[in-house]
Amino acid sequence: MEGTSLYLPIVILLMQCSPSAPVTVSTNQHKVEVHEFSDAVLSCTFRTERDPNPRIEWKKKGKDVSFVYFDGHFRGSFDGRATINGATVTLQRVTQEDAGEYRCEISAPHDTVNLGETNVTLKVLVPPQIPSCEIPSGAVTGSVVQLRCRDQQSIPPATYSWFKDNQLIKPPRHANATYLINSHTGILEFKAVAKEDTGRYSCQASNGVGQPKKCEGKHMTIEDVNVSAVVAAVVVVCLVIIICGCGGLLLHRNGFFSRHRGRSFWISQCHGAAHISSQTLHRTEDTSNVNYIPPPQEPQDFKHTQSFML
């Protein structure tokens, strides 16, 4: 007993001299993911050295740091839609504007270390929306065709699947496939479309949050090139060029072009003829009374038509 009584004052002295733990702040979940319009719990726990009533603050980081909870009240857009329990905050019906990084700060002026903090990142998940689809109504065989699908609002970003006549188009398994599918960009590309690619196409967006969404299908028709129409058009253009060239040459030999009118007149007439040849005339003009007016004669071309007596 005497030995114990001798050591007891020493133990008490050491306990008084040893430093206590300073203020510490922690969270049980640094990254929080919740669906849009649901509640988000941002946990924050603390322990102080001496101060029984530390100051609790919540801030949101961004371009500028803004207060969420300060001086016992919620601030800004959080006023009226958030609660606090100890230092843990619950945000109600969160939206994309609430997503970001939050900081819990505990200030204990009477502690040796009087400030502690922890960070919590909030990610708000958004289910897929109906994607916008770009599907051409038609194309010719052998051409390169791209079908595009995009959902700008889903979080995390959506992945895309394409359907033809309500049947899933599976990604190609070999490099020689006639089409490519990029599930991340939503592009379906045909290297050289064929007539059998004709059908009704639609695209579906999904990201694991909520139900997938599909755009309205659109029919795409693949047709062969009309070779006869192309040949006929080329023949017509060539005939117009030949007629204009031969006619201009004949008129030039007959002296139709004058210094005043020049060749630009005939060129403009040829252009007009080519334009008229591509349209159907709806009326017939009466040209029976059109009189030809010869061009004015130059002074050197004047000839005497009567004799004069000196």
Side-chain angles (χ1 to χ4, degrees), residues 74-269:
F74 286 97
R75 305 291 178 172
S77 62
F78 301 98
D79 186 17
R81 66 179 189 92
T83 59
I84 189 168
N85 183 12
T88 297
V89 166
T90 300
L91 307 179
Q92 301 170 353
R93 293 186 59 79
V94 294
T95 64
Q96 279 303 304
E97 294 182 356
D98 299 324
E101 187 175 354
Y102 292 80
R103 184 171 67 214
C104 174
E105 295 182 359
I106 305 298
S107 177
H110 301 293
D111 287 11
T112 305
V113 178
N114 55 23
L115 181 64
E117 62 182 40
T118 188
N119 295 321
V120 180
T121 301
L122 174 61
K123 185 177 183 179
V124 180
L125 305 178
V126 180
Q129 308 298 306
I130 297 177
S132 60
C133 298
E134 299 178 10
I135 303 171
S137 58
V140 296
T141 55
S143 61
V144 177
V145 177
Q146 285 189 346
L147 284 66
R148 298 177 178 271
C149 179
R150 194 66 179 167
D151 174 16
Q152 300 284 357
Q153 300 179 4
S154 59
I155 298 176
T159 56
Y160 305 95
S161 303
W162 280 96
F163 295 80
K164 177 188 176 185
D165 298 329
N166 294 323
Q167 297 295 321
L168 177 65
I169 303 176
K170 296 181 180 180
R173 297 181 180 180
H174 51 85
N176 296 328
T178 59
Y179 66 92
L180 298 173
I181 295 179
N182 191 321
S183 60
H184 298 287
T185 62
I187 296 178
L188 167 60
E189 179 178 333
F190 291 94
K191 299 178 181 179
V193 290
K195 295 195 70 174
E196 53 266 25
D197 294 322
T198 296
R200 188 175 184 84
Y201 290 84
S202 59
C203 173
Q204 178 177 279
S206 58
N207 68 346
V209 182
Q211 296 296 322
K213 295 294 179 65
K214 184 185 291 187
C215 69
E216 184 178 357
K218 184 177 179 181
H219 192 80
M220 182 176 70
T221 303
I222 309 300
E223 297 179 347
D224 289 328
V225 178
N226 192 339
V227 179
S228 59
V230 173
V231 172
V234 172
V235 170
V236 170
V237 172
C238 292
L239 288 175
V240 171
I241 295 175
I242 293 172
I243 292 172
C244 290
C246 294
L249 181 60
L250 291 174
L251 292 176
H252 177 70
R253 289 181 176 179
N254 293 331
F256 179 78
F257 294 118
S258 65
R259 297 178 182 177
H260 301 288
R261 302 183 70 177
R263 296 185 179 180
S264 61
F265 172 79
W266 178 245
I267 295 175
S268 64
Q269 295 302 313

Side-chain angles (χ1 to χ4, degrees), residues 24-28 43-47 87-88 104 106 118:
T24 57
V25 183
S26 61
T27 179
N28 57 17
S43 70
C44 180
T45 58
F46 64 90
R47 183 179 61 187
T88 297
C104 174
I106 305 298
T118 188

